[in-house]
Amino acid sequence: MIRPILLVAIGGAAGSVLRYLTGEFFKKISSTTFPLGTFVANIAGCLLIGILIGLFDKAGSDNPQLKWLLITGFCGGYTTFSSFSYENVSLLQHGNYGLAFLYIASSLLLGLLAVGFGLFLVK
């Protein structure tokens, strides 16, 4: 039981650090009120999880240690749907209804497409 927890923690820490760096990067290059860093992290994380799952399936691998580290840990730490939810509530509270709708709709649609594309890239 300790091994899965450690692997998820290590992957999650790495994903969280990369998520932080992604957010900081987009704050520096963009002046929009649109939460671009979180948006990019969510879409990239969806693409990455699609690629990883596709690679595991293609290799016929059922390596739980790598899945705990990379999928549950890293991707779970990197993607930020809790931040996504908070940012949408904030947009709505400030009357930015159109921007909130755009953020929700584009995140969901592009996230689904990114997972599918990641799977496609591996096949």
Side-chain angles (χ1 to χ4, degrees):
M1 183 66 171
I2 295 297
R3 177 174 279 199
I5 292 169
L6 289 174
L7 290 170
V8 170
I10 291 166
S16 294
V17 168
L18 185 59
R19 162 62 187 100
Y20 169 76
L21 294 173
T22 301
E24 290 302 305
F25 174 76
F26 282 99
K27 280 181 194 173
K28 288 181 182 175
I29 67 164
S30 175
S31 62
T32 181
T33 57
F34 186 80
L36 192 57
T38 301
F39 179 76
V40 169
N42 285 335
I43 302 309
C46 288
L47 176 62
L48 181 59
I49 204 167
I51 289 171
L52 290 171
I53 291 170
L55 287 171
F56 281 118
D57 288 347
K58 188 174 184 177
S61 174
D62 189 32
N63 185 332
Q65 289 85 7
L66 275 178
K67 288 180 180 178
W68 293 327
L69 178 71
L70 299 174
I71 294 172
T72 306
F74 185 82
C75 289
Y78 184 63
T79 58
T80 54
F81 273 92
S82 58
S83 294
F84 166 80
S85 298
Y86 168 76
E87 289 165 346
N88 276 296
V89 168
S90 180
L91 286 170
L92 292 169
Q93 288 174 334
H94 290 94
N96 293 315
Y97 302 109
L99 196 54
F101 176 78
L102 173 67
Y103 188 29
I104 292 166
S106 61
S107 292
L108 292 175
L109 178 63
L110 291 174
L112 292 170
L113 289 172
V115 169
F117 186 62
L119 290 167
F120 170 77
L121 285 175
V122 174
K123 292 183 180 186

